[in-house]
Amino acid sequence: MKKRTFSSKLFLILGTAVVVGFSGCTDNDYDFNEIDTTIGIGGDGLEIPSLSTEIIPLKDVLELEDNGSVVEDEVTGDYVFRQDGADVAPVHPFIDKITVAEQTSVSNDVELVFSSPSGSRRRSRATRAAGESLVADGWLQAFSYEGSQPKEVVDLSVAEVGSTISLNIDFSDVKSVVSQFDQIVISLPAFMTLSNVKSAGHTLNVNGSILTLNNVSTSSNLSITANVTALNFKEKDTTYGSLSLSGGKINMDGKVYIKAVASSVNAGAETTTGKKISSKMTMSSFIVNAATGKFNPEIALSDLGNIKVNGIPDFLQGGNVVVDLYNPQIKLTITSDMEVPGTLDGVIKSFKNGQLLATVNVNNIPIDANKTSTICICRRAEGVNGFDHVLTNDNLSKLIETIPDNITFSASASADSKNNYRFELGRNYTVQPAYKVDAPIAFGENANIEYRDTLDGWNDDIKDFELAEGSYINMDASIKSCVPAYMTVTAVPVDAGGNAISSDELSIDVEGTVEASKDGIAETTSPVNIKISQKKKGAMKKLDGIVFVVSGKANGGNGAVTGITLNANKHTLKVEEIKIKLVGKLIGNFN
């Protein structure tokens, strides 16, 4: 509460005018020092000529606390409840790399046989029927691999892996029969993606996991190396193997097939019966470095921090104050470098002196993938621009209907585990939230603020005066307002100790409501009357000042005025046609 002390022989004129002027006219810029102070103290009455104040902006009436949570916006001059949340430590979603290791490995020798164009095959001596070729057709290697499925991995489509294959095909048993194969086709499981496939001295044609070589001499063994860069869990071709997630395991089964065809047999070759192609293969464990699939990494956000509210101005405090704001906003930023989006469910609570005031649940707050996203949680979406996401919550204003001293924001977050995304395993991702409250002081329908002021220090000047029986001081004034609020005034006389003087002794009656400006621009004009009466002889001698309360409300006789932010400079008051009349006698005792 403000408290002003001043001395004037016309204490009542000054005091009464100040009540209607909402204290602005008692500042150095708004005074009545030029009033003629030569008056009589007897007679039937006295009327002071009409007076007016200058234009009084709200900034001269509503005082803010230094470094407080309510500020005047530097650019617009709007009054705003603005407070940053405490720093929040980032969290680091993580899924460990997966190792898919060998469980079994079996080699198989593939026998040479004669094959006719019709596909029939037979073992025979070197002589062959017309049109027959010598063919080795079958599997060389069979293997099984297994890995553990991390609990954060819901499903896999494609795994990006690192593995190498080295296949050595041995012709030592067949080279006496065949000096060259016209074509050799090596088939690996279709779920494998190969790269950097090489065979020294040969040209390879690579079609997926099928390798084709032409005109391969048997004079030396055939060596093939390749890298496996990906495993496709959704591959439907299971001819040469299968890959699956089952029972918390990654299961891989596969075979390496060969089909070698020779149209010529060595002259003088002995029987082909029992001649076989053999092989050796090494294939390293598969290290899954990244994958595309469905993931549910832990996003360990639980506390987005507290806001300590401080420096609240008097007009937003008090038992009758209801801070029903039109569109308070919580502005949240979330930075995530994951390619997996998520959502955050929040619980915001406000406290006063340790007591819970209100709880507001805000669910499905987006965590966008691989970006810094801005989210505005607000009461109304209208006029809210410049954010990636705008979420509305009708209950948001309840958090500050009574101004709290502490606001908490707890949360739980989860990744989108229902859709496919890419995730790098073994990487510490970062999710970093931050938030602030930004609530323009614009009224909702139930808003009520109170401005209190004390004008005192009069007693030394008036202790020798009193009003004669039946006498009173009457003031009429016209108040012009550009303030988007309905205003009423109540006043209580106080003694030198600051104690209220009973209305049975001395009363101050105020009639009239200041009409609200509907848009904060157009002026309204409202009549106000103030009457000061002494009810008990000698009561005037006790008077030291006046405590008055100006109530500003959204609702009034001409409908609610909502959604207009109070402005320090644009919203003004002016008191005109102030007419002060002493009805009866003012008695002075100078003995």
Side-chain angles (χ1 to χ4, degrees), residues 106-124:
V106 179
S107 296
N108 179 57
D109 296 341
V110 181
E111 185 177 358
L112 283 174
V113 297
F114 282 117
S115 176
S116 68
S118 65
S120 62
R121 299 181 182 186
R122 63 182 178 85
R123 295 186 180 90
S124 74

Side-chain angles (χ1 to χ4, degrees), residues 489 491 507-511 529-533 535:
V489 181
S507 67
I508 303 177
D509 299 314
V510 183
E511 293 183 357
N529 174 264
I530 297 177
K531 182 179 179 181
I532 301 177
S533 304
K535 301 294 184 67

Side-chain angles (χ1 to χ4, degrees), residues 62-140:
L62 303 180
E63 290 189 353
L64 304 181
E65 300 292 328
D66 291 339
N67 301 314
S69 296
V70 177
V71 299
E72 178 187 330
D73 188 271
E74 293 181 357
V75 177
T76 64
D78 287 345
Y79 288 116
V80 183
F81 180 95
R82 181 173 290 163
Q83 191 74 51
D84 291 341
D87 291 339
V88 182
V91 297
H92 301 287
F94 176 86
I95 302 176
D96 205 356
K97 291 186 177 184
I98 303 171
T99 299
V100 184
E102 181 183 292
Q103 302 299 303
T104 62
S105 179
V106 179
S107 296
N108 179 57
D109 296 341
V110 181
E111 185 177 358
L112 283 174
V113 297
F114 282 117
S115 176
S116 68
S118 65
S120 62
R121 299 181 182 186
R122 63 182 178 85
R123 295 186 180 90
S124 74
R125 300 182 62 80
T127 59
R128 56 187 172 134
E132 285 186 327
S133 298
L134 201 56
V135 177
D137 189 358
W139 65 272
L140 290 171

Side-chain angles (χ1 to χ4, degrees), residues 447-491:
N448 181 47
I449 65 172
E450 288 188 347
Y451 170 78
R452 294 172 177 265
D453 207 340
T454 297
L455 309 174
D456 61 7
W458 302 348
N459 193 252
D460 285 344
D461 288 322
I462 67 171
K463 60 187 178 182
D464 296 323
F465 293 88
E466 65 174 309
L467 290 172
E469 183 178 355
S471 298
Y472 60 90
I473 296 175
N474 187 80
M475 187 188 82
D476 290 298
S478 178
I479 299 181
K480 290 188 174 181
S481 173
C482 291
V483 179
Y486 295 93
M487 288 176 283
T488 59
V489 181
T490 59

Side-chain angles (χ1 to χ4, degrees), residues 40 99 162 169 187 192 220 290 392 451 471 473 488 491-492 518 586:
T99 299
I169 299 175
S187 300
M192 289 183 174
S220 60
T392 59
Y451 170 78
S471 298
I473 296 175
T488 59
V492 177
K518 294 293 186 180
L586 181 66

Side-chain angles (χ1 to χ4, degrees), residues 571-588:
H571 295 153
T572 61
L573 296 164
K574 184 177 183 181
V575 188
E576 293 185 338
E577 301 176 9
I578 303 172
K579 298 177 181 179
I580 304 173
K581 184 176 183 180
L582 171 62
V583 179
K585 295 181 180 181
L586 181 66
I587 301 172

Side-chain angles (χ1 to χ4, degrees), residues 103-418:
Q103 302 299 303
T104 62
S105 179
V106 179
S107 296
N108 179 57
D109 296 341
V110 181
E111 185 177 358
L112 283 174
V113 297
F114 282 117
S115 176
S116 68
S118 65
S120 62
R121 299 181 182 186
R122 63 182 178 85
R123 295 186 180 90
S124 74
R125 300 182 62 80
T127 59
R128 56 187 172 134
E132 285 186 327
S133 298
L134 201 56
V135 177
D137 189 358
W139 65 272
L140 290 171
Q141 298 288 328
F143 55 84
S144 66
Y145 281 63
E146 185 179 280
S148 295
Q149 176 184 353
K151 62 180 176 41
E152 300 91 349
V153 176
V154 178
D155 189 26
L156 290 176
S157 294
V158 177
E160 300 172 30
V161 299
S163 180
T164 58
I165 297 175
S166 177
L167 176 64
N168 185 69
I169 299 175
D170 191 340
F171 296 133
S172 59
D173 192 44
V174 299
K175 64 183 180 180
S176 62
V177 179
V178 177
S179 59
Q180 178 176 288
F181 285 104
D182 300 340
Q183 187 178 76
I184 294 177
V185 177
I186 307 294
S187 300
L188 286 83
F191 59 73
M192 289 183 174
T193 298
L194 306 178
S195 70
N196 198 31
V197 183
K198 296 179 180 179
S199 179
H202 299 91
T203 299
L204 276 165
N205 178 42
V206 181
N207 182 15
S209 58
I210 308 299
L211 316 179
T212 302
L213 302 92
N214 295 315
N215 303 319
V216 179
S217 172
T218 61
S219 61
S220 60
N221 293 340
L222 176 64
S223 294
I224 298 173
T225 60
N227 295 329
V228 182
T229 59
L231 301 174
N232 184 356
F233 283 78
K234 304 304 179 184
E235 177 58 57
K236 295 180 180 179
D237 183 354
T238 58
T239 305
Y240 304 115
S242 63
L243 179 66
S244 65
L245 283 175
S246 178
K249 299 287 185 181
I250 295 174
N251 300 301
M252 178 195 299
D253 296 291
K255 289 183 177 180
V256 178
Y257 275 75
I258 186 171
K259 183 176 182 179
V261 179
S263 59
S264 298
V265 178
N266 291 343
E270 298 180 358
T271 179
T272 62
T273 303
K275 298 298 183 180
K276 297 180 179 179
I277 296 175
S278 61
S279 67
K280 292 181 180 180
M281 186 180 79
T282 59
M283 186 164 61
S284 64
S285 295
F286 293 82
I287 308 300
V288 181
N289 301 303
T292 298
K294 298 174 182 177
F295 303 95
N296 189 23
E298 181 185 15
I299 306 175
L301 288 174
S302 59
D303 185 357
L304 299 191
N306 293 358
I307 285 180
K308 299 296 183 183
V309 180
N310 55 74
I312 298 301
D314 291 339
F315 66 88
L316 293 179
Q317 301 186 75
N320 296 321
V321 171
V322 179
V323 188
D324 178 22
L325 297 186
Y326 186 77
N327 202 17
Q329 299 172 11
I330 294 176
K331 297 179 179 179
L332 180 66
T333 61
I334 303 178
T335 299
S336 173
D337 57 3
M338 288 195 301
E339 293 182 40
V340 180
T343 56
L344 183 148
D345 293 336
V347 180
I348 309 171
K349 296 182 178 182
S350 59
F351 297 85
K352 182 79 169 181
N353 299 324
Q355 298 297 311
L356 178 65
L357 297 176
T359 299
V360 174
N361 295 314
V362 184
N363 296 325
N364 298 316
I365 301 170
I367 302 174
D368 289 339
N370 203 28
K371 66 176 290 187
T372 295
S373 54
T374 57
I375 303 104
C376 182
I377 305 167
C378 54
R379 191 175 181 184
R380 294 173 171 86
E382 62 187 71
V384 178
N385 301 305
F387 294 90
D388 295 310
H389 306 280
V390 176
L391 308 178
T392 59
N393 190 302
D394 290 339
N395 296 319
L396 202 60
S397 188
K398 293 186 182 299
L399 292 169
I400 52 176
E401 278 190 357
T402 297
I403 295 292
D405 52 33
N406 189 35
I407 298 173
T408 65
F409 196 157
S410 58
S412 61
S414 60
D416 177 3
S417 61
K418 296 181 179 180

